[in-house]
Amino acid sequence: MGHRHRLLDTSAPARLAAPDEGIGRDELALATRNHGLPLEALRHDLTPPGLHYVLTHYDIPYVPDDTPWRLTLGGHVRRPLRLDLADLRAFPQVTTRVTLECAGNGRALLTPRPVSQPWLVEAVGTAEWTGVPLRLLLAEAGVGTDAVDVVFTGADHGVERGVQQDYRRALPVEVATGDDPEVLVAYAMNGAPLPPQHGRPLRLVVPGWYGMAHVKWLRDIAVAEEPFRGFQQAVAYRLRQEPEDEGEPVTRIAPRALLVPPGFPDFMSRTRVVRPGPVPLEGRAWSGGAPVTRVEVSTDAGRSWQEAGLDPDGGHRWAWRRWRHSWTALPGEYVLSARATDAEGRTQPLEPRWNRGGFANNLVQRVPVLCLDAQTAAPGADTHPGSTRADSGR
Amino acid sequence: MGHRHRLLDTSAPARLAAPDEGIGRDELALATRNHGLPLEALRHDLTPPGLHYVLTHYDIPYVPDDTPWRLTLGGHVRRPLRLDLADLRAFPQVTTRVTLECAGNGRALLTPRPVSQPWLVEAVGTAEWTGVPLRLLLAEAGVGTDAVDVVFTGADHGVERGVQQDYRRALPVEVATGDDPEVLVAYAMNGAPLPPQHGRPLRLVVPGWYGMAHVKWLRDIAVAEEPFRGFQQAVAYRLRQEPEDEGEPVTRIAPRALLVPPGFPDFMSRTRVVRPGPVPLEGRAWSGGAPVTRVEVSTDAGRSWQEAGLDPDGGHRWAWRRWRHSWTALPGEYVLSARATDAEGRTQPLEPRWNRGGFANNLVQRVPVLCLDAQTAAPGADTHPGSTRADSGR
């Protein structure tokens, strides 16, 4: 045949977009498959099904309900385990409320833009995950004394930059066997079996860590005596300035606050419209490193900041915290922002911190708002069900 | 203040993208909020929650569970109605399986590209909707003899091209009072209360019509003696070649077949990889005009076509039909397509039919596939859980 047909024919190396390059067809195909949290859904303590962000590297595996599922736990352990769902349910059960964020959140706001899933700020969601503490499974198997990493393999399979792989990530053994955070092998989300796109029937949940650690469709756990060097650990998900850098691994979630865009939107620009007067602002804030202790709000594009009120955390250390702020709007144009700070002093930058993978960009959100003049702001003037006058204008 | 702050400051007129213009920030913001069906989810008869396409013009209204909801039915009727959810549940209940597709599906494949929600092919989903036949509610109210249109108003509010509006659409009175299709005021999706993004607590379901007719967060129904000229009826959702054309209204869903992309994907390009040998192909096909009677498959980018097998429709006239085809792959590069034809002879074009709004583009899908050489295709060669060799390569 002459020409050979190899995996590299399907894959391109990582690249950065040219300075004025719009989002390409490949990025768009990812953006229409995966999805973010519509920001108005920040109002819900627990994100309703279908509004939580989803990022799938390859395909969502098709697992019909009557398919038996086995989780194997092996490698450097004394007693390898082979567990079905009933076996897992026989272990003690823990439920934890967790805010989960994609490590690539904010990527599409970087210049130059790393070409990958083009998130703006919306790759987040909060759910209650129920499952078995991973440390109990590892204790049952008996982890070897020289263990370094614990490697998790999902059933999702694909190619990335020429490398064929099952999705696979590791945690340091001290994290995997620790209880702060309590890592879960989860079989329920918000009290129901996991939806297909969230890992049905099993996924890892690592509170406080970015989404890449929460391996979905979990089918194997392997204890290793060498540091894991798989693609998603050593090639992807590292903070690098240059391609040849070894880079720092992406781990815990950087602090972020988001606000519920007030008023109502323009369809295309998503600019918000409010009327003069009191405009209650609210949102959520979270950090994977330490609890959020402070949220500030700016209505002048970050030039000045005011302290927002923080709701109690309700004992949910790993979930976002609600915050509120009162704003009195006058006619004009505004850019609203919120900024979170955590107990260890980490906060959010006003200028993005760039890296080649576009990870952990917790740049403060910018929400453009137009406050109408009072005389044009009468509610319902052009929205009465019986009237079509304003509707016919352009 | 000098400058006035008016709605037009938030909105731009409709426009077409320049020839080489990539997807812009505004289109991306819509693509990350709204989402399509990941094509592997075509395997499910009923789309699991969260995988069904969603398109929201403005914000998803926030309706806490304990909020009373009233549906008013008025205009030119003998007895205006005011109904709560319990009232609606006292009417006869109908459940219908419906494939719902966005009128803008396929828009981002057009040249020049109309700038709006940038769908490729994935804006579809199938659910079972339960509710009251609309004709029973209209009969209870008593429709005036000169009625022309029935106007439906949702609780979602925003601006579009300078026009502030509640989302509002009409059906001709003969469609609204007819039973083929049986239009529903639906309060359940797949046996559960509607999720927020699908119209909680009430939405219209118009089997066979594109999504813009299925008004969500339904709060008012008004019988009108004049044709409805609202924005979403007379300005948006019309098939036009030039801005000044009156245009044909967008109504029923054009035929379309989609295939489940076989094998596994490359993360970034979404190109599919298969191994030599038999590759079962399957997918779904639907049409809002008449039942699908034929599906053809091409493995050579549309140069030749073969008849696929159609599963029985199971009595679900308004839902997609499954089809299957056997393909034996040899090493090489392919473009797979499927094409649906309905009982009235409508089919799908190989070249897009352009219109300014980017509506009803049912161009055949193209799925690039690479079939590997046999010697590089041994399953698992580079994917064994214990091996990290291939993972470390670049």
Side-chain angles (χ1 to χ4, degrees), chain B residues 97-128:
Chain B
R97 186 176 296 194
V98 177
T99 293
L100 199 54
E101 183 176 6
C102 185
N105 203 10
R107 177 182 290 125
L109 297 171
L110 294 172
T111 306
R113 182 181 76 251
V115 172
S116 183
Q117 167 72 36
W119 295 122
L120 296 167
V121 298
E122 60 291 298
V124 68
T126 296
E128 289 195 331

Side-chain angles (χ1 to χ4, degrees), chain B residues 261-277:
Chain B
F264 56 84
D266 175 65
F267 170 71
M268 196 63 222
S269 69
R270 304 299 303 170
T271 296
R272 312 299 301 194
V273 179
V274 301
R275 308 184 196 285

Side-chain angles (χ1 to χ4, degrees), chain A residues 5-6 10-11 23 31-33 36 40 49 57-60 159 197 265-267 269-270 272 275 370 373, chain B residues 5-6 10-11 23 31-33 36 40 49 57-60 159 164 197 265-267 269-270 272 370 373:
Chain A
H5 299 99
R6 314 206 301 181
T10 65
S11 274
I23 298 289
T32 59
R33 280 179 59 75
E40 63 272 28
H57 276 243
Y58 312 121
D59 283 1
I60 300 167
V159 194
Q197 69 272 32
D266 175 64
F267 171 71
S269 68
R270 303 300 303 169
R272 312 299 301 194
R275 308 185 196 285
L370 170 70
D373 290 342
Chain B
H5 299 98
R6 313 205 303 179
T10 64
S11 275
I23 298 290
T32 58
R33 281 179 57 76
E40 63 272 28
H57 277 244
Y58 312 121
D59 282 2
I60 300 167
V159 194
Q164 187 180 168
Q197 69 272 33
D266 175 65
F267 170 71
S269 69
R270 304 299 303 170
R272 312 299 301 194
L370 170 71
D373 290 343

Side-chain angles (χ1 to χ4, degrees), chain A residues 69-244:
Chain A
W69 190 267
R70 292 287 183 284
L71 174 66
T72 47
L73 198 170
H76 293 273
V77 296
R78 285 186 292 279
R79 291 175 299 279
L81 304 179
R82 185 176 159 84
L83 304 161
D84 64 19
L85 297 180
D87 297 330
L88 288 168
R89 286 176 188 277
F91 280 85
Q93 185 182 87
V94 168
T95 296
T96 309
R97 186 176 297 192
V98 177
T99 293
L100 198 53
E101 183 176 5
C102 185
N105 203 9
R107 177 183 290 125
L109 297 171
L110 294 172
T111 305
R113 183 181 74 249
V115 173
S116 183
Q117 166 74 34
W119 296 122
L120 296 166
V121 298
E122 60 292 297
V124 68
T126 295
E128 289 196 330
W129 302 95
T130 299
V132 189
L134 174 64
R135 62 187 169 83
L136 300 185
L137 300 180
L138 290 170
E140 176 84 5
V143 173
T145 48
D146 294 332
V148 172
D149 271 352
V150 180
V151 183
F152 304 91
T153 303
D156 43 335
H157 184 89
V159 194
E160 215 161 334
R161 301 187 219 160
V163 181
Q164 187 180 168
Q165 57 193 287
D166 294 339
Y167 187 85
R168 186 173 296 138
R169 283 275 311 180
L171 290 173
V173 69
E174 59 276 13
V175 175
T177 56
D179 64 359
D180 186 32
E182 180 84 281
V183 180
L184 298 181
V185 173
Y187 43 73
M189 180 185 188
N190 298 337
L194 302 184
Q197 69 272 32
H198 290 291
R200 173 171 290 182
L202 286 181
R203 77 176 300 171
L204 203 66
V205 173
V206 191
W209 287 53
Y210 281 115
M212 77 280 148
H214 303 233
V215 176
K216 296 189 288 264
W217 311 291
L218 182 66
R219 61 174 185 75
D220 185 70
I221 301 173
V223 175
E225 295 185 338
E226 301 287 335
F228 176 62
R229 300 283 305 159
F231 180 90
Q232 304 295 348
Q233 205 87 13
V235 180
Y237 293 115
R238 301 189 75 95
L239 303 171
R240 289 190 182 91
Q241 294 299 311
E242 300 297 336
E244 61 275 15

Side-chain angles (χ1 to χ4, degrees), chain A residues 310-332:
Chain A
L310 269 177
D311 281 8
D313 75 0
H316 299 294
R317 157 67 189 100
W318 302 108
W320 56 28
R321 252 178 110 167
R322 191 175 189 174
W323 57 263
R324 303 166 198 261
H325 185 68
S326 297
W327 175 44
T328 300
L330 297 173

Side-chain angles (χ1 to χ4, degrees), chain B residues 41-65:
Chain B
L42 289 165
R43 289 195 179 91
H44 301 270
D45 292 333
L46 292 179
T47 308
L51 298 179
H52 194 293
Y53 99 88
V54 171
L55 186 285
T56 308
H57 277 244
Y58 312 121
D59 282 2
I60 300 167
Y62 182 63
V63 185
D65 284 341

